[in-house]
């Protein structure tokens, strides 16, 4: 049994303040030596995760998939891709993780399936107007010969979200909708079979001990049945944040609640309107959702303060805990983002060749770690964040796999740069990710020897040591549970707050060192203090008794 296991019975609402570690299985650890990470690799590294001190893992999709979108193109929701292992491996992972005190959140993908999913294959083989096609959004094209797409929507990955099919005799036929890549046809959520299938999938994973599900693209499932042209600002959005979604999630909540042990629904809800976002967190809907507003904010005191205030204010009436997210498998790694002139995250602004000061970014990422781990609510860590990995921006172009890059005509760098396999040990690639001599599915940089888990474990000043210490203190500090939060007066450019009577966090985003507020003990700092001065781009955790 791992060190965390004693925590579970006493902490039923575990998800309210959990530290949740995101495992991107393809790039976490390669257990069978084929260059791709797998579930055997994750199982072998559970002691690492227990020592790090996380409460749960969220594992990106492990299902059979042609990997047109890194596994978000699912061909079978009740099995595991041979690349990652077997269904039994997934079951064992869930059980073994729990023995280490770590719960497992499974990624489910309800908006679309893979073009290789049996439902879609049958739909393609069937005639226009057939029941098989009703599970998707098939439509005739516009124009005299149906040669134009049925509407003017844009794909989330750029370009047209419609692809024309060929009838069995080879003549051009209907079009089908895919909000993401061509290989990801959207399901028709107005169809009862689509709904009942996902209820059954939820049960399948809850029956196997999943502590929760992360719901992919959770605000996109329902479409305006007319599939009209998008008249921005005039009509309700035809495919984002539709009212019918809430009834779907209420029905899922009833299922989650019917299982023992607080099984949770975590929504991937990207919405510009924070008030609309929190509607998904009403008491009978999702338990939590990722706070992408925090992730997108620049490293600027007022922007972060404003985000913290609005996040807490919007979550409080819903009774839902906030979440704090600095990065994930879709966005630029924090160390790199914070080392740039523009420190915001914006998908639309990603370009090759942005100058980056990695040392600056690292200082800020260390401070941001202490900030996010001190805020009330749950926190998500993306694998490698605890190692301070930068985005890999010089991957050979011919190795890039992300459809965001491929569909952009090569202008968007895509998301491969944050998905590079983790460095575990040794001086050279593959750094213990795979056995020596095996080439990982994405190449690792030459210069990562100092970033390996092995190297950082031996260094008390490393990012890994900082995360381990912070997670240990977080777990042991009653003030860091619950929702107590109060800003402390402070200098301009300084974020200082108290959590309960004893714990305070101070983050210096001003251009000069600042004096720490009164305290008894310095628990942890992201950079060494200069006497009682907190350096620029640094954070400190303080205790007063
Ligand atoms: C979500 C996932 C992303 C994926 C997309 C389509 O945004 O996080 O990785 O490409 O959905 O499934």
């Amino acid at each position: 049994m791992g060190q965390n296991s004693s925590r579970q019975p006493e902490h039923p609402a575990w998800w309210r303040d959990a530290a949740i570690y995101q495992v991107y299985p393809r790039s976490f650890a390669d257990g069978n030596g084929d260059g791709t990470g797998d579930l055997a690799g994750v199982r072998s590294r559970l002691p690492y995760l227990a020592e790090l001190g996380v409460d749960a893992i969220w594992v990106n999709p492990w299902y059979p998939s042609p990997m047109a979108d890194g596994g978000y193109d699912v061909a079978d929701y009740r099995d595991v891709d041979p690349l990652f292992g077997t269904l039994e491996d997934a079951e064992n992972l869930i059980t073994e993780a729990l023995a280490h005190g770590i719960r497992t959140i499974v990624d489910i993908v309800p908006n679309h399936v893979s073009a290789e999913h049996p439902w879609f294959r049958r739909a393609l083989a069937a005639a226009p107007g057939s029941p098989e096609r009703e599970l998707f959004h098939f439509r005739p094209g516009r124009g005299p010969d149906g040669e134009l797409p049925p509407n003017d929507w844009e794909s989330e990955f750029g370009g047209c979200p419609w692809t024309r099919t060929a009838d069995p005799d080879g003549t051009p036929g209907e079009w089908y909708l895919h909000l993401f890549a061509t290989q990801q046809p959207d399901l028709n959520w107005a169809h009862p079979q689509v709904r009942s299938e996902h209820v059954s999938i939820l049960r399948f994973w809850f029956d196997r001990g999943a502590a929760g599900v992360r719901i992919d693209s959770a605000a996109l499932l329902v479409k305006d049945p007319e599939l009209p042209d998008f008249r921005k600002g005039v009509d309700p959005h035809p495919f984002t944040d539709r009212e019918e979604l809430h009834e779907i999630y209420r029905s899922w909540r009833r299922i989650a609640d019917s299982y023992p042990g607080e099984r949770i629904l975590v929504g991937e809800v990207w919405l510009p309107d924070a008030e609309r976002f929190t509607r998904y967190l009403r008491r009978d809907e999702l338990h939590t959702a990722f706070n992408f507003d925090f992730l997108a904010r620049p490293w600027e005191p007022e922007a972060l303060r404003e985000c913290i205030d609005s996040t807490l204010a919007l979550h409080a009436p819903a009774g839902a805990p906030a979440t704090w997210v600095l990065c994930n498998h879709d966005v630029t790694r924090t160390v790199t983002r914070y080392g740039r002139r523009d420190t915001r995250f914006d998908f639309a602004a990603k370009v090759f060749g942005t100058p980056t000061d990695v040392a600056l970014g690292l200082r800020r990422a260390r401070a941001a770690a202490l900030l996010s781990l001190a805020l009330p609510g749950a926190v998500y860590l993306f694998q490698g964040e605890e190692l301070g990995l930068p985005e890999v921006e010089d991957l050979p172009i011919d190795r890039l796999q992300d459809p965001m890059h491929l569909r952009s005509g090569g202008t968007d760098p895509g998301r491969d740069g944050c998905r590079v396999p983790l460095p575990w040990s040794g001086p050279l690639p593959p750094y213990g990710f795979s056995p020596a001599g095996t080439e990982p599915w994405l190449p690792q940089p030459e210069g990562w020897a100092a970033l390996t888990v092995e190297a950082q474990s031996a260094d008390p000043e490393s990012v890994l040591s900082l995360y381990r210490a912070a997670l240990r203190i977080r777990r042991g500090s009653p003030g860091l549970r619950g929702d107590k939060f109060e800003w402390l007066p402070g200098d301009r450019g300084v974020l200082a707050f108290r959590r309960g009577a004893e714990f305070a966090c101070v983050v210096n985003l001003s251009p000069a060192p600042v004096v720490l507020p009164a305290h008894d003990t310095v628990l942890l700092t992201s950079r060494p203090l200069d006497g009682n001065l907190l350096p620029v781009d640094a954070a400190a955790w303080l205790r007063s008794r």
Side-chain angles (χ1 to χ4, degrees):
M1 295 290 269
Q3 56 179 4
N4 309 350
S5 48
S6 61
R7 179 159 185 223
Q8 290 171 33
E10 302 97 67
H11 199 44
W14 62 275
W15 48 277
R16 293 192 158 268
D17 57 14
I20 300 167
Y21 184 96
Q22 180 188 351
V23 174
Y24 193 74
R26 219 177 171 186
S27 299
F28 186 71
D30 172 13
N32 68 355
D34 65 356
T36 296
D38 47 39
L39 300 190
V42 184
R43 287 166 66 191
S44 73
R45 301 290 182 175
L46 286 170
Y48 168 75
L49 295 173
E51 189 184 351
L52 180 60
V54 296
D55 303 292
I57 50 175
W58 146 37
V59 188
N60 287 98
W62 52 33
Y63 312 107
S65 165
M67 300 285 160
D69 181 21
Y72 282 98
D73 45 326
V74 180
D76 179 354
Y77 290 81
R78 296 180 183 81
D79 205 348
V80 168
D81 196 285
L83 205 54
F84 298 136
T86 62
L87 178 58
E88 202 186 347
D89 287 328
E91 292 167 346
N92 289 336
L93 170 59
I94 294 171
T95 313
E96 290 166 14
L98 207 55
H100 285 278
I102 298 174
R103 291 172 164 88
T104 301
I105 297 174
V106 173
D107 207 323
I108 58 160
V109 188
N111 180 67
H112 44 266
V113 298
S114 159
E116 297 300 318
H117 189 286
W119 282 10
F120 192 70
R121 293 167 73 115
R122 269 181 235 138
L124 276 187
S130 60
E132 289 84 352
R133 290 205 171 183
E134 284 170 16
L135 297 172
F136 299 90
H137 298 286
F138 280 88
R139 290 289 185 283
R142 298 201 277 205
D145 298 312
E147 73 282 13
L148 299 174
N151 67 26
D152 67 355
W153 297 359
E154 258 200 53
S155 160
E156 298 288 309
F157 285 166
C160 177
W162 292 94
T163 292
R164 195 167 193 186
T165 62
D167 286 337
D169 66 0
T171 55
E174 290 186 319
W175 298 68
Y176 69 88
L177 176 71
H178 51 86
L179 289 183
F180 293 91
T182 313
Q183 302 90 330
Q184 294 168 293
D186 278 46
L187 287 166
N188 172 14
W189 273 85
H191 199 294
Q193 201 181 334
V194 170
R195 295 196 182 210
S196 58
E197 170 69 354
H198 281 82
V199 164
S200 151
I201 293 166
L202 277 183
R203 291 191 183 283
F204 183 88
W205 291 106
F206 285 148
D207 286 342
R208 280 165 181 72
V213 292
R214 176 261 187 194
I215 307 165
D216 186 69
S217 304
L220 301 181
L221 278 45
V222 177
K223 278 80 184 176
D224 182 328
E226 303 299 321
L227 305 182
D229 280 344
F230 181 22
R231 302 199 307 157
K232 196 169 181 186
V234 179
D235 301 323
H237 198 294
F239 61 82
T240 304
D241 191 28
R242 307 273 307 171
E243 209 44 48
E244 297 88 332
L245 284 166
H246 296 285
E247 182 43 42
I248 295 172
Y249 295 135
R250 277 194 282 269
S251 73
W252 289 15
R253 180 62 178 257
R254 289 193 290 274
I255 295 167
D257 285 350
S258 73
Y259 283 81
E262 306 256 342
R263 314 297 177 95
I264 65 162
L265 309 174
V266 185
E268 189 210 14
V269 181
W270 290 90
L271 286 182
D273 180 331
E275 188 276 327
R276 299 288 305 181
F277 170 87
T278 41
R279 295 173 81 242
Y280 291 82
L281 303 176
R282 288 177 291 198
R283 284 170 207 275
D284 56 350
E285 299 192 33
L286 308 183
H287 294 74
T288 67
F290 298 103
N291 184 354
F292 293 122
D293 181 37
F294 187 64
L295 167 155
R297 295 277 176 151
W299 182 250
E300 289 166 16
E302 287 320 310
L304 289 171
R305 182 190 298 271
E306 207 260 332
C307 172
I308 293 166
D309 279 337
S310 62
T311 298
L312 296 178
L314 283 160
H315 282 72
T323 65
W324 306 101
V325 188
L326 289 170
C327 64
N328 66 24
H329 66 294
D330 291 330
V331 309
T332 310
R333 282 199 179 269
T334 322
V335 166
T336 300
R337 175 161 70 89
Y338 285 155
R340 292 176 168 170
R341 198 180 56 78
D342 183 354
T343 51
R344 284 170 310 160
F345 177 75
D346 180 359
F347 280 110
K350 285 182 74 178
V351 286
F352 283 102
T354 313
T356 305
D357 178 343
V358 174
L360 173 69
L362 186 60
R363 285 198 294 278
R364 291 172 169 175
R366 290 176 63 109
L370 294 194
L371 169 63
S372 57
L373 288 165
L375 290 167
V379 65
Y380 282 85
L381 312 177
F382 175 44
Q383 67 178 40
E385 200 176 332
E386 82 282 18
L387 303 176
L389 295 188
E391 186 87 358
V392 181
E393 300 191 277
D394 55 357
L395 288 166
I397 293 291
D398 62 353
R399 298 290 292 272
L400 298 184
Q401 304 210 3
D402 181 14
M404 264 186 148
H405 167 72
L406 303 177
R407 286 175 66 92
S408 73
T411 55
D412 184 324
R415 301 166 294 179
D416 295 296
C418 67
R419 300 174 177 180
V420 170
L422 289 193
W424 290 94
S425 58
L428 290 171
Y431 303 112
F433 169 77
S434 291
T438 303
E439 200 187 333
W441 72 279
L442 275 179
Q444 300 156 302
E446 291 295 331
W448 274 10
L451 296 179
T452 64
V453 169
E454 181 183 51
Q456 296 204 37
S457 295
D459 174 5
E461 302 301 319
S462 68
V463 184
L464 179 57
S465 297
L466 181 76
Y467 268 95
R468 282 181 175 157
L471 286 163
R472 193 171 53 243
I473 296 169
R474 177 182 161 97
R475 181 166 287 174
S477 306
L480 286 174
R481 302 261 174 78
D483 46 18
K484 283 207 179 79
F485 175 91
E486 193 190 335
W487 288 113
L488 292 169
D491 298 312
R492 218 180 133 77
V494 177
L495 300 177
F497 54 89
R498 226 185 9 211
R499 301 286 317 280
E502 292 189 357
F503 180 94
C505 172
V506 186
V507 191
N508 183 8
L509 295 101
S510 81
V514 294
V515 178
L516 286 176
H519 59 273
D520 294 328
T521 317
V522 176
L523 297 169
L524 191 62
T525 60
S526 69
R527 294 180 69 183
L529 296 177
D530 179 6
N532 199 30
L533 288 180
L534 180 66
V536 175
D537 288 328
W541 283 7
L542 309 173
R543 172 170 292 155
S544 312
R545 286 202 203 276

